[in-house]
Amino acid sequence: MSTWSPKILAIRIHSLAATFNRRSYHRATALHRPSGPPKLSPYDVNCILRANEHTQEFFGGSVKSYDSNQLASNSPIEDSRSEASCVHTSGLLVGIFDGHGGPACSQVISKRLMRYIAASLVPPDDLRQHMLGGAQSFSFLSCHNDKLEFVSEIKELYEKSFNQFANELTNTTLAGFQMHQTLENAFIRLDQDLSREAIEMPSLRTMSVAMSGAVALVAHIDGPHLHVASVGDCSAVLGTVTDTGQWVAKKLTNEHNSDNVGEVRRLLSEHPATERDTVIRGERLLGQLAPLRAMGDFRYKWTREQLEQLVVPQFGEQVIAPYYLTPPYLSACPEITHHILTPRDKFLIIASDGLWDTMSAMQTVHLVGEHMYGKAFLQPLTLPKQDITLGEISQMLSTRKAGLQKKPLDRNAATHLIRNALGGTEYGVEHSKLSHMLSLPQDIVRLFRDDITITVIYFDSEYLRNCPT
Protein backbone atom coordinates (compact mmCIF):
# COMPACT_ATOMS: atom_id res chain seq x y z
CA MET A 1 0.00 0.00 0.00
CA SER A 2 1.44 3.42 -0.99
CA THR A 3 1.89 6.22 1.56
CA TRP A 4 2.15 10.01 1.11
CA SER A 5 4.24 12.50 3.07
CA PRO A 6 2.33 15.10 5.14
CA LYS A 7 3.17 17.80 2.56
CA ILE A 8 1.95 15.76 -0.42
CA LEU A 9 -1.13 14.69 1.55
CA ALA A 10 -1.99 18.32 2.28
CA ILE A 11 -1.67 19.22 -1.42
CA ARG A 12 -3.87 16.25 -2.35
CA ILE A 13 -6.59 17.24 0.14
CA HIS A 14 -6.50 20.84 -1.12
CA SER A 15 -6.86 19.63 -4.72
CA LEU A 16 -9.85 17.43 -3.87
CA ALA A 17 -11.50 20.29 -1.99
CA ALA A 18 -11.03 22.63 -4.97
CA THR A 19 -12.54 20.06 -7.32
CA PHE A 20 -15.53 19.59 -5.01
CA ASN A 21 -16.06 23.35 -4.79
CA ARG A 22 -15.93 23.76 -8.57
CA ARG A 23 -18.51 21.00 -9.10
CA SER A 24 -20.76 22.45 -6.39
CA TYR A 25 -20.51 25.86 -8.05
CA HIS A 26 -21.44 24.52 -11.51
CA ARG A 27 -24.40 22.59 -10.07
CA ALA A 28 -25.62 25.67 -8.22
CA THR A 29 -25.25 27.99 -11.19
CA ALA A 30 -26.95 25.45 -13.47
CA LEU A 31 -30.05 25.67 -11.29
CA HIS A 32 -30.16 29.47 -11.64
CA ARG A 33 -28.95 29.74 -15.24
CA PRO A 34 -31.64 31.31 -17.50
CA SER A 35 -33.10 28.95 -20.05
CA GLY A 36 -32.19 29.50 -23.69
CA PRO A 37 -30.06 28.13 -26.48
CA PRO A 38 -26.46 27.26 -25.60
CA LYS A 39 -23.74 29.62 -26.71
CA LEU A 40 -21.56 28.23 -29.47
CA SER A 41 -17.84 28.88 -29.77
CA PRO A 42 -16.40 30.13 -33.08
CA TYR A 43 -15.10 26.59 -33.63
CA ASP A 44 -18.61 25.14 -33.11
CA VAL A 45 -20.09 27.70 -35.49
CA ASN A 46 -17.54 26.87 -38.19
CA CYS A 47 -18.20 23.13 -37.83
CA ILE A 48 -21.95 23.66 -38.29
CA LEU A 49 -21.61 26.07 -41.22
CA ARG A 50 -19.06 23.96 -43.09
CA ALA A 51 -20.57 20.52 -42.55
CA ASN A 52 -22.29 20.41 -45.96
CA GLU A 53 -20.10 22.61 -48.12
CA HIS A 54 -18.74 21.35 -51.44
CA THR A 55 -16.41 22.84 -54.05
CA GLN A 56 -15.91 21.49 -57.56
CA GLU A 57 -13.35 22.70 -60.09
CA PHE A 58 -13.42 22.30 -63.87
CA PHE A 59 -10.76 22.56 -66.55
CA GLY A 60 -11.84 23.94 -69.91
CA GLY A 61 -15.19 25.48 -70.76
CA SER A 62 -16.98 28.53 -69.45
CA VAL A 63 -17.32 27.32 -65.85
CA LYS A 64 -14.21 27.41 -63.67
CA SER A 65 -15.74 26.05 -60.48
CA TYR A 66 -18.67 26.18 -58.14
CA ASP A 67 -19.15 26.43 -54.36
CA SER A 68 -22.22 24.89 -52.77
CA ASN A 69 -23.59 24.56 -49.24
CA GLN A 70 -26.82 24.10 -47.32
CA LEU A 71 -27.99 24.61 -43.76
CA ALA A 72 -31.06 22.89 -42.37
CA SER A 73 -33.87 24.46 -40.42
CA ASN A 74 -36.46 21.72 -40.91
CA SER A 75 -35.65 18.24 -39.63
CA PRO A 76 -35.16 16.54 -41.98
CA ILE A 77 -34.12 19.32 -44.34
CA GLU A 78 -36.62 19.88 -47.15
CA ASP A 79 -34.15 21.49 -49.56
CA SER A 80 -32.16 19.43 -52.07
CA ARG A 81 -29.39 20.33 -54.52
CA SER A 82 -27.89 18.65 -57.56
CA GLU A 83 -24.90 19.36 -59.77
CA ALA A 84 -23.83 17.26 -62.74
CA SER A 85 -22.02 17.39 -66.06
CA CYS A 86 -23.86 16.00 -69.07
CA VAL A 87 -22.06 12.90 -70.36
CA HIS A 88 -23.15 13.01 -74.02
CA THR A 89 -23.21 16.80 -74.42
CA SER A 90 -20.98 19.58 -73.11
CA GLY A 91 -23.35 21.26 -70.65
CA LEU A 92 -23.32 21.60 -66.87
CA LEU A 93 -26.60 21.30 -64.92
CA VAL A 94 -26.97 22.86 -61.48
CA GLY A 95 -30.20 22.79 -59.49
CA ILE A 96 -31.81 23.95 -56.24
CA PHE A 97 -35.03 22.30 -55.02
CA ASP A 98 -37.03 23.65 -52.09
CA GLY A 99 -39.55 21.17 -50.73
CA HIS A 100 -42.67 21.68 -48.66
CA GLY A 101 -44.92 19.20 -46.89
CA GLY A 102 -41.85 17.01 -46.34
CA PRO A 103 -38.60 16.29 -48.21
CA ALA A 104 -39.85 13.46 -50.46
CA CYS A 105 -40.69 15.45 -53.60
CA SER A 106 -37.58 17.65 -53.55
CA GLN A 107 -35.28 14.65 -53.07
CA VAL A 108 -36.86 12.71 -55.93
CA ILE A 109 -36.96 15.51 -58.49
CA SER A 110 -33.42 16.66 -57.63
CA LYS A 111 -32.15 13.42 -59.18
CA ARG A 112 -34.78 12.67 -61.80
CA LEU A 113 -35.24 16.11 -63.37
CA MET A 114 -31.56 16.44 -64.23
CA ARG A 115 -31.66 13.04 -65.95
CA TYR A 116 -34.74 13.98 -67.97
CA ILE A 117 -33.04 17.19 -69.12
CA ALA A 118 -29.72 15.50 -69.93
CA ALA A 119 -31.42 12.86 -72.09
CA SER A 120 -33.49 15.55 -73.85
CA LEU A 121 -30.30 17.30 -74.98
CA VAL A 122 -28.93 14.26 -76.84
CA PRO A 123 -29.73 14.21 -80.60
CA PRO A 124 -32.52 11.68 -81.29
CA ASP A 125 -30.40 9.33 -83.41
CA ASP A 126 -27.63 9.26 -80.79
CA LEU A 127 -30.18 8.80 -78.02
CA ARG A 128 -31.69 5.85 -79.87
CA GLN A 129 -28.27 4.18 -80.04
CA HIS A 130 -27.66 4.77 -76.34
CA MET A 131 -31.03 3.29 -75.39
CA LEU A 132 -30.52 0.27 -77.66
CA GLY A 133 -27.17 -0.20 -75.95
CA GLY A 134 -28.90 -0.49 -72.59
CA ALA A 135 -28.23 3.03 -71.26
CA GLN A 136 -29.95 3.84 -67.97
CA SER A 137 -31.02 7.21 -66.63
CA PHE A 138 -27.95 7.74 -64.44
CA SER A 139 -25.59 7.09 -67.37
CA PHE A 140 -26.49 10.44 -68.94
CA LEU A 141 -24.93 12.41 -66.07
CA SER A 142 -21.67 12.62 -64.19
CA CYS A 143 -22.79 13.81 -60.74
CA HIS A 144 -20.41 15.80 -58.56
CA ASN A 145 -21.96 15.77 -55.10
CA ASP A 146 -24.58 13.03 -55.09
CA LYS A 147 -25.22 11.40 -51.70
CA LEU A 148 -28.74 10.11 -52.33
CA GLU A 149 -29.70 6.73 -53.77
CA PHE A 150 -33.18 5.36 -54.44
CA VAL A 151 -34.25 2.04 -52.90
CA SER A 152 -34.52 -0.79 -55.41
CA GLU A 153 -38.31 -1.00 -55.69
CA ILE A 154 -38.76 2.71 -56.44
CA LYS A 155 -35.63 2.78 -58.58
CA GLU A 156 -37.14 0.21 -60.97
CA LEU A 157 -40.35 2.22 -61.23
CA TYR A 158 -38.49 5.43 -61.97
CA GLU A 159 -36.26 3.70 -64.51
CA LYS A 160 -39.30 2.37 -66.34
CA SER A 161 -40.78 5.88 -66.57
CA PHE A 162 -37.46 7.28 -67.81
CA ASN A 163 -37.12 4.62 -70.51
CA GLN A 164 -40.58 5.41 -71.79
CA PHE A 165 -39.77 9.12 -71.89
CA ALA A 166 -36.39 8.59 -73.60
CA ASN A 167 -37.87 6.28 -76.24
CA GLU A 168 -40.47 8.93 -77.07
CA LEU A 169 -37.66 11.48 -77.45
CA THR A 170 -36.03 9.33 -80.13
CA ASN A 171 -39.04 10.02 -82.37
CA THR A 172 -38.54 13.78 -82.32
CA THR A 173 -36.66 15.66 -85.05
CA LEU A 174 -33.39 17.48 -84.39
CA ALA A 175 -34.40 20.28 -86.75
CA GLY A 176 -37.14 21.26 -84.33
CA PHE A 177 -34.87 21.52 -81.29
CA GLN A 178 -35.54 24.54 -79.07
CA MET A 179 -33.84 24.80 -75.68
CA HIS A 180 -36.82 26.56 -74.11
CA GLN A 181 -39.17 23.82 -75.27
CA THR A 182 -36.77 21.08 -74.19
CA LEU A 183 -36.52 22.38 -70.62
CA GLU A 184 -40.24 22.98 -70.37
CA ASN A 185 -41.02 19.51 -71.66
CA ALA A 186 -38.67 17.87 -69.12
CA PHE A 187 -40.29 19.68 -66.17
CA ILE A 188 -43.84 18.95 -67.27
CA ARG A 189 -43.16 15.35 -68.26
CA LEU A 190 -41.51 14.49 -64.94
CA ASP A 191 -44.45 16.03 -63.08
CA GLN A 192 -46.85 13.95 -65.18
CA ASP A 193 -44.82 10.83 -64.40
CA LEU A 194 -44.96 11.56 -60.66
CA SER A 195 -48.73 11.80 -60.94
CA ARG A 196 -49.14 8.66 -63.05
CA GLU A 197 -46.89 6.60 -60.79
CA ALA A 198 -48.91 7.52 -57.71
CA ILE A 199 -52.24 6.82 -59.43
CA GLU A 200 -51.28 3.54 -61.12
CA MET A 201 -49.05 2.18 -58.36
CA PRO A 202 -50.15 3.81 -55.10
CA SER A 203 -47.80 3.09 -52.22
CA LEU A 204 -46.40 4.89 -49.22
CA ARG A 205 -43.44 6.11 -51.30
CA THR A 206 -45.27 7.24 -54.44
CA MET A 207 -48.01 8.93 -52.41
CA SER A 208 -45.53 10.71 -50.12
CA VAL A 209 -43.95 12.25 -53.23
CA ALA A 210 -47.35 13.11 -54.71
CA MET A 211 -48.72 14.74 -51.54
CA SER A 212 -45.57 16.78 -50.86
CA GLY A 213 -44.24 19.29 -53.35
CA ALA A 214 -41.19 21.31 -54.34
CA VAL A 215 -40.24 24.44 -56.20
CA ALA A 216 -37.29 23.99 -58.54
CA LEU A 217 -34.62 26.04 -60.26
CA VAL A 218 -32.22 24.51 -62.79
CA ALA A 219 -29.40 26.30 -64.60
CA HIS A 220 -27.87 24.80 -67.75
CA ILE A 221 -24.54 26.26 -68.86
CA ASP A 222 -22.94 25.32 -72.17
CA GLY A 223 -20.21 27.62 -73.45
CA PRO A 224 -21.57 31.19 -73.38
CA HIS A 225 -25.19 30.04 -73.22
CA LEU A 226 -26.90 30.16 -69.83
CA HIS A 227 -30.48 28.95 -69.49
CA VAL A 228 -32.37 29.14 -66.20
CA ALA A 229 -35.67 27.29 -65.74
CA SER A 230 -37.72 27.95 -62.61
CA VAL A 231 -41.01 27.08 -60.94
CA GLY A 232 -41.71 28.69 -57.59
CA ASP A 233 -39.63 31.05 -55.49
CA CYS A 234 -35.98 30.00 -55.74
CA SER A 235 -33.91 32.72 -57.40
CA ALA A 236 -30.91 33.11 -59.70
CA VAL A 237 -28.76 36.26 -59.69
CA LEU A 238 -25.91 37.04 -62.09
CA GLY A 239 -22.92 38.97 -60.74
CA THR A 240 -21.49 41.29 -63.39
CA VAL A 241 -18.71 43.88 -63.14
CA THR A 242 -18.80 47.20 -65.04
CA ASP A 243 -16.01 49.10 -66.81
CA THR A 244 -15.46 51.09 -63.61
CA GLY A 245 -15.22 47.99 -61.43
CA GLN A 246 -18.68 48.30 -59.90
CA TRP A 247 -20.77 45.21 -59.23
CA VAL A 248 -24.20 44.83 -60.84
CA ALA A 249 -26.78 42.24 -59.80
CA LYS A 250 -28.94 40.94 -62.63
CA LYS A 251 -31.89 38.84 -61.51
CA LEU A 252 -32.73 36.07 -63.98
CA THR A 253 -35.86 34.70 -62.31
CA ASN A 254 -39.27 35.83 -61.09
CA GLU A 255 -40.91 34.43 -57.95
CA HIS A 256 -44.17 32.67 -58.68
CA ASN A 257 -46.18 33.86 -55.71
CA SER A 258 -48.93 36.34 -54.89
CA ASP A 259 -46.49 39.28 -54.98
CA ASN A 260 -46.04 38.68 -58.72
CA VAL A 261 -48.93 40.56 -60.36
CA GLY A 262 -48.45 38.88 -63.73
CA GLU A 263 -48.50 35.46 -62.12
CA VAL A 264 -51.69 36.23 -60.23
CA ARG A 265 -53.35 37.41 -63.46
CA ARG A 266 -52.26 34.20 -65.23
CA LEU A 267 -53.76 32.06 -62.50
CA LEU A 268 -57.05 33.98 -62.34
CA SER A 269 -57.42 33.80 -66.12
CA GLU A 270 -57.38 30.00 -65.94
CA HIS A 271 -60.45 29.83 -63.67
CA PRO A 272 -64.02 31.19 -63.80
CA ALA A 273 -64.65 34.75 -62.68
CA THR A 274 -66.82 33.36 -59.88
CA GLU A 275 -63.62 32.07 -58.24
CA ARG A 276 -61.81 35.39 -58.34
CA ASP A 277 -61.97 35.78 -54.55
CA THR A 278 -61.19 32.17 -53.66
CA VAL A 279 -58.32 31.07 -55.95
CA ILE A 280 -55.96 33.21 -53.85
CA ARG A 281 -56.87 33.90 -50.25
CA GLY A 282 -54.55 35.32 -47.63
CA GLU A 283 -51.81 35.62 -50.30
CA ARG A 284 -51.83 31.84 -50.78
CA LEU A 285 -53.20 29.44 -53.36
CA LEU A 286 -56.65 28.41 -52.08
CA GLY A 287 -55.56 29.91 -48.77
CA GLN A 288 -52.92 27.21 -48.26
CA LEU A 289 -49.88 27.18 -50.58
CA ALA A 290 -47.44 30.09 -51.01
CA PRO A 291 -45.88 29.22 -54.42
CA LEU A 292 -48.21 29.43 -57.42
CA ARG A 293 -46.09 26.99 -59.45
CA ALA A 294 -44.56 23.79 -58.09
CA MET A 295 -43.86 20.17 -58.89
CA GLY A 296 -45.80 17.48 -57.04
CA ASP A 297 -48.57 18.86 -54.79
CA PHE A 298 -51.22 16.85 -56.64
CA ARG A 299 -53.82 17.75 -54.04
CA TYR A 300 -54.00 20.99 -56.07
CA LYS A 301 -53.89 19.27 -59.49
CA TRP A 302 -55.96 16.07 -59.40
CA THR A 303 -59.71 16.10 -59.90
CA ARG A 304 -61.93 16.02 -56.84
CA GLU A 305 -62.94 12.47 -57.76
CA GLN A 306 -59.31 11.35 -57.81
CA LEU A 307 -58.66 12.96 -54.45
CA GLU A 308 -61.72 11.33 -52.90
CA GLN A 309 -60.76 7.94 -54.26
CA LEU A 310 -56.98 7.93 -53.75
CA VAL A 311 -56.17 10.43 -51.02
CA VAL A 312 -59.11 10.97 -48.67
CA PRO A 313 -59.18 7.35 -47.38
CA GLN A 314 -55.56 7.68 -46.25
CA PHE A 315 -55.23 11.37 -45.35
CA GLY A 316 -58.78 12.43 -44.50
CA GLU A 317 -61.28 14.96 -45.90
CA GLN A 318 -59.08 17.92 -44.92
CA VAL A 319 -56.73 17.09 -47.80
CA ILE A 320 -59.24 18.71 -50.19
CA ALA A 321 -58.81 22.49 -50.03
CA PRO A 322 -61.83 24.77 -49.54
CA TYR A 323 -63.34 26.08 -52.80
CA TYR A 324 -61.72 23.26 -54.80
CA LEU A 325 -63.94 23.61 -57.88
CA THR A 326 -61.99 23.73 -61.16
CA PRO A 327 -58.60 21.99 -60.83
CA PRO A 328 -55.79 22.04 -61.67
CA TYR A 329 -54.83 25.14 -59.71
CA LEU A 330 -51.08 24.57 -59.72
CA SER A 331 -48.68 24.47 -62.68
CA ALA A 332 -45.29 22.76 -63.10
CA CYS A 333 -44.52 24.70 -66.29
CA PRO A 334 -41.23 26.58 -65.77
CA GLU A 335 -40.41 30.15 -66.67
CA ILE A 336 -37.20 30.14 -68.73
CA THR A 337 -34.53 32.80 -69.20
CA HIS A 338 -31.69 32.72 -71.74
CA HIS A 339 -28.59 34.84 -71.20
CA ILE A 340 -25.43 34.96 -73.35
CA LEU A 341 -22.45 35.19 -71.01
CA THR A 342 -19.75 37.82 -71.55
CA PRO A 343 -16.35 38.28 -69.89
CA ARG A 344 -17.98 40.75 -67.49
CA ASP A 345 -20.25 38.04 -66.07
CA LYS A 346 -18.22 36.66 -63.15
CA PHE A 347 -20.58 34.34 -61.27
CA LEU A 348 -24.13 33.08 -60.88
CA ILE A 349 -25.80 32.67 -57.48
CA ILE A 350 -28.75 30.27 -57.24
CA ALA A 351 -30.45 29.74 -53.89
CA SER A 352 -33.62 28.73 -52.10
CA ASP A 353 -35.74 31.46 -50.52
CA GLY A 354 -34.11 30.87 -47.12
CA LEU A 355 -31.29 33.12 -48.38
CA TRP A 356 -33.46 35.71 -50.11
CA ASP A 357 -35.59 36.11 -46.96
CA THR A 358 -32.57 37.76 -45.35
CA MET A 359 -30.62 39.32 -48.24
CA SER A 360 -31.18 41.31 -51.40
CA ALA A 361 -29.71 40.30 -54.76
CA MET A 362 -27.30 43.24 -54.61
CA GLN A 363 -26.08 42.29 -51.14
CA THR A 364 -25.27 38.76 -52.23
CA VAL A 365 -23.39 39.95 -55.33
CA HIS A 366 -21.30 42.38 -53.26
CA LEU A 367 -20.48 39.66 -50.74
CA VAL A 368 -19.44 37.14 -53.39
CA GLY A 369 -17.51 39.80 -55.30
CA GLU A 370 -15.57 40.79 -52.17
CA HIS A 371 -15.07 37.11 -51.38
CA MET A 372 -13.59 36.54 -54.86
CA TYR A 373 -11.05 39.30 -54.25
CA GLY A 374 -10.25 38.28 -50.70
CA LYS A 375 -9.99 34.57 -51.44
CA ALA A 376 -6.80 35.20 -53.42
CA PHE A 377 -5.09 36.07 -50.13
CA LEU A 378 -5.90 32.66 -48.66
CA GLN A 379 -3.27 31.21 -51.03
CA PRO A 380 0.46 31.30 -50.21
CA LEU A 381 2.39 34.14 -51.82
CA THR A 382 4.17 32.99 -54.98
CA LEU A 383 6.74 35.00 -56.90
CA PRO A 384 6.72 35.11 -60.72
CA LYS A 385 9.22 32.88 -62.55
CA GLN A 386 10.86 35.77 -64.41
CA ASP A 387 13.38 38.11 -62.80
CA ILE A 388 11.88 40.56 -60.32
CA THR A 389 13.35 43.58 -58.51
CA LEU A 390 13.32 44.18 -54.77
CA GLY A 391 11.03 47.14 -55.39
CA GLU A 392 8.49 44.95 -57.17
CA ILE A 393 8.65 42.40 -54.35
CA SER A 394 8.07 45.22 -51.85
CA GLN A 395 5.02 46.36 -53.84
CA MET A 396 3.63 42.81 -53.90
CA LEU A 397 4.07 42.51 -50.13
CA SER A 398 2.37 45.89 -49.57
CA THR A 399 -0.58 44.84 -51.75
CA ARG A 400 -0.83 41.53 -49.93
CA LYS A 401 -0.70 43.21 -46.53
CA ALA A 402 -3.58 45.50 -47.52
CA GLY A 403 -5.52 42.60 -49.00
CA LEU A 404 -5.14 40.42 -45.92
CA GLN A 405 -7.58 42.74 -44.16
CA LYS A 406 -10.23 41.51 -46.59
CA LYS A 407 -9.27 37.85 -46.31
CA PRO A 408 -12.50 35.88 -45.82
CA LEU A 409 -12.98 33.39 -43.02
CA ASP A 410 -14.42 30.81 -45.45
CA ARG A 411 -12.94 29.47 -48.66
CA ASN A 412 -16.42 28.48 -49.84
CA ALA A 413 -18.54 31.42 -51.10
CA ALA A 414 -21.83 29.68 -50.28
CA THR A 415 -20.67 29.29 -46.67
CA HIS A 416 -19.63 32.95 -46.69
CA LEU A 417 -23.18 33.91 -47.75
CA ILE A 418 -24.83 31.75 -45.08
CA ARG A 419 -22.54 33.21 -42.40
CA ASN A 420 -23.51 36.75 -43.42
CA ALA A 421 -27.19 35.89 -43.87
CA LEU A 422 -27.50 34.68 -40.28
CA GLY A 423 -24.91 36.78 -38.46
CA GLY A 424 -24.49 39.87 -40.59
CA THR A 425 -24.90 43.37 -39.15
CA GLU A 426 -24.02 46.79 -40.52
CA TYR A 427 -20.67 46.40 -38.77
CA GLY A 428 -19.90 42.92 -40.09
CA VAL A 429 -20.66 39.41 -38.88
CA GLU A 430 -21.51 39.32 -35.18
CA HIS A 431 -20.60 36.06 -33.47
CA SER A 432 -23.26 36.29 -30.77
CA LYS A 433 -26.01 36.72 -33.37
CA LEU A 434 -24.67 33.85 -35.46
CA SER A 435 -24.33 31.61 -32.40
CA HIS A 436 -27.91 32.37 -31.39
CA MET A 437 -29.33 31.63 -34.85
CA LEU A 438 -27.47 28.31 -35.06
CA SER A 439 -28.45 27.08 -31.60
CA LEU A 440 -32.20 27.71 -31.65
CA PRO A 441 -34.20 24.68 -30.45
CA GLN A 442 -35.74 22.53 -33.16
CA ASP A 443 -39.29 23.34 -32.07
CA ILE A 444 -38.88 27.08 -32.76
CA VAL A 445 -36.02 27.42 -35.26
CA ARG A 446 -38.40 27.40 -38.25
CA LEU A 447 -39.98 30.61 -36.90
CA PHE A 448 -36.66 32.43 -37.33
CA ARG A 449 -35.05 30.93 -40.45
CA ASP A 450 -35.80 28.57 -43.32
CA ASP A 451 -33.64 25.88 -44.89
CA ILE A 452 -30.89 27.60 -46.91
CA THR A 453 -29.30 26.05 -49.99
CA ILE A 454 -26.86 27.99 -52.18
CA THR A 455 -24.67 27.28 -55.20
CA VAL A 456 -22.27 29.89 -56.61
CA ILE A 457 -20.98 29.14 -60.13
CA TYR A 458 -17.83 30.97 -61.28
CA PHE A 459 -17.25 31.73 -64.96
CA ASP A 460 -13.95 31.73 -66.87
CA SER A 461 -13.60 35.26 -68.25
CA GLU A 462 -10.72 34.32 -70.55
CA TYR A 463 -12.74 31.51 -72.13
CA LEU A 464 -15.76 33.77 -72.60
CA ARG A 465 -13.54 36.43 -74.18
CA ASN A 466 -12.45 34.08 -76.92
CA CYS A 467 -15.31 31.64 -77.48
CA PRO A 468 -17.82 32.08 -80.31
CA THR A 469 -21.43 32.75 -79.47
Side-chain angles (χ1 to χ4, degrees):
M1 188 173 90
S2 62
T3 59
W4 291 323
S5 68
K7 182 177 180 181
I8 294 175
L9 183 60
I11 294 172
R12 178 66 176 166
I13 291 171
H14 178 77
S15 176
L16 290 171
T19 300
F20 175 80
N21 290 335
R22 282 197 303 271
R23 290 175 178 172
S24 298
Y25 171 79
H26 287 309
R27 282 197 296 269
T29 54
L31 293 174
H32 296 90
R33 187 181 297 130
S35 61
K39 292 183 179 179
L40 302 174
S41 69
Y43 174 81
D44 296 328
V45 166
N46 289 341
C47 288
I48 293 171
L49 290 180
R50 296 170 181 171
N52 298 308
E53 67 181 11
H54 178 79
T55 295
Q56 187 76 34
E57 295 184 349
F58 302 93
F59 301 96
S62 57
V63 176
K64 286 198 299 187
S65 63
Y66 71 78
D67 289 339
S68 184
N69 200 355
Q70 61 181 176
L71 179 72
S73 171
N74 294 291
S75 182
I77 187 171
E78 293 183 338
D79 280 8
S80 295
R81 55 181 169 168
S82 188
E83 308 96 34
S85 297
C86 298
V87 171
H88 302 297
T89 57
S90 55
L92 175 70
L93 286 165
V94 184
I96 299 285
F97 309 88
D98 185 353
H100 46 263
C105 187
S106 71
Q107 289 179 353
V108 167
I109 66 173
S110 70
K111 290 178 71 74
R112 298 183 68 186
L113 181 57
M114 309 292 255
R115 298 175 179 185
Y116 276 49
I117 294 173
S120 302
L121 298 174
V122 179
D125 290 343
D126 294 343
L127 180 60
R128 186 179 300 108
Q129 293 302 314
H130 292 310
M131 298 308 295
L132 290 174
Q136 294 184 293
S137 63
F138 61 83
S139 63
F140 287 86
L141 290 172
S142 174
C143 296
H144 303 299
N145 185 32
D146 188 3
K147 300 175 182 178
L148 175 69
E149 188 54 65
F150 296 132
V151 297
S152 57
E153 65 175 274
I154 209 77
K155 187 176 181 179
E156 293 175 3
L157 174 62
Y158 292 164
E159 202 63 37
K160 182 178 179 181
S161 294
F162 175 84
N163 286 337
Q164 184 176 344
F165 172 62
N167 286 323
E168 291 175 12
L169 288 174
T170 62
N171 296 320
T172 60
T173 59
L174 185 61
F177 178 84
Q178 294 288 334
M179 190 63 178
H180 281 63
Q181 188 61 46
T182 297
L183 291 170
E184 182 179 303
N185 186 48
F187 271 73
I188 294 173
R189 177 53 182 266
L190 176 57
D191 199 57
Q192 291 172 344
D193 283 349
L194 296 176
S195 172
R196 178 183 51 76
E197 290 157 0
I199 292 172
E200 295 179 359
M201 285 150 284
S203 67
L204 179 61
R205 287 191 172 89
T206 57
M207 289 302 292
S208 66
V209 174
M211 288 299 101
S212 61
V215 298
L217 186 154
V218 175
H220 176 263
I221 307 154
D222 190 355
H225 296 282
L226 166 64
H227 288 85
V228 177
S230 174
V231 292
D233 52 11
C234 294
S235 295
V237 174
L238 190 67
T240 302
V241 68
T242 66
D243 290 336
T244 57
Q246 301 298 309
W247 286 106
V248 175
K250 181 177 181 180
K251 199 169 179 185
L252 301 180
T253 51
N254 296 306
E255 291 81 20
H256 302 130
N257 55 33
S258 60
D259 293 330
N260 184 331
V261 176
E263 187 68 6
V264 171
R265 287 173 177 165
R266 175 197 65 80
L267 182 59
L268 292 176
S269 71
E270 295 173 356
H271 299 276
T274 53
E275 294 186 64
R276 186 174 186 83
D277 297 327
T278 59
V279 170
I280 296 178
R281 294 186 301 123
E283 300 182 347
R284 290 173 174 263
L285 181 69
L286 297 175
Q288 296 183 345
L289 189 67
L292 302 184
R293 300 193 201 190
M295 302 188 72
D297 284 317
F298 293 105
R299 57 181 296 197
Y300 304 108
K301 297 174 182 176
W302 285 343
T303 66
R304 177 177 283 272
E305 290 72 22
Q306 287 174 314
L307 291 176
E308 290 174 344
Q309 180 184 351
L310 295 168
V311 185
V312 169
Q314 186 173 353
F315 295 91
E317 289 285 347
Q318 69 276 7
V319 77
I320 303 179
Y323 307 102
Y324 196 80
L325 304 173
T326 57
Y329 289 92
L330 194 63
S331 171
C333 182
E335 187 171 1
I336 299 164
T337 302
H338 176 217
H339 176 82
I340 298 179
L341 296 167
T342 74
R344 298 203 180 280
D345 298 321
K346 301 303 180 182
F347 52 81
L348 176 72
I349 304 168
I350 64 173
S352 59
D353 67 341
L355 175 66
W356 310 114
D357 287 344
T358 62
M359 281 189 173
S360 69
M362 196 67 245
Q363 285 175 311
T364 62
V365 167
H366 273 301
L367 282 167
V368 175
E370 290 171 358
H371 184 267
M372 275 181 63
Y373 176 72
K375 192 164 63 170
F377 296 99
L378 292 173
Q379 307 298 327
L381 176 64
T382 56
L383 296 176
K385 294 181 179 180
Q386 66 268 24
D387 293 338
I388 186 170
T389 67
L390 287 176
E392 289 171 331
I393 293 176
S394 176
Q395 181 61 42
M396 289 177 64
L397 291 173
S398 297
T399 302
R400 186 171 180 83
K401 183 178 179 180
L404 285 173
Q405 298 177 1
K406 296 185 177 181
K407 181 179 71 173
L409 190 60
D410 304 294
R411 290 181 178 274
N412 186 295
T415 308
H416 181 66
L417 285 175
I418 295 175
R419 186 184 297 275
N420 280 271
L422 299 185
T425 69
E426 57 183 311
Y427 305 107
V429 175
E430 185 179 288
H431 172 73
S432 60
K433 181 181 178 183
L434 189 55
S435 171
H436 176 76
M437 292 298 286
L438 292 176
S439 56
L440 291 168
Q442 189 58 53
D443 57 341
I444 66 167
V445 62
R446 186 62 182 82
L447 300 174
F448 292 86
R449 60 180 177 87
D450 197 357
D451 298 331
I452 301 176
T453 302
I454 306 169
T455 301
V456 181
I457 304 108
Y458 293 98
F459 303 119
D460 188 328
S461 299
E462 195 60 33
Y463 177 92
L464 292 172
R465 190 171 287 112
N466 299 303
C467 74
T469 58

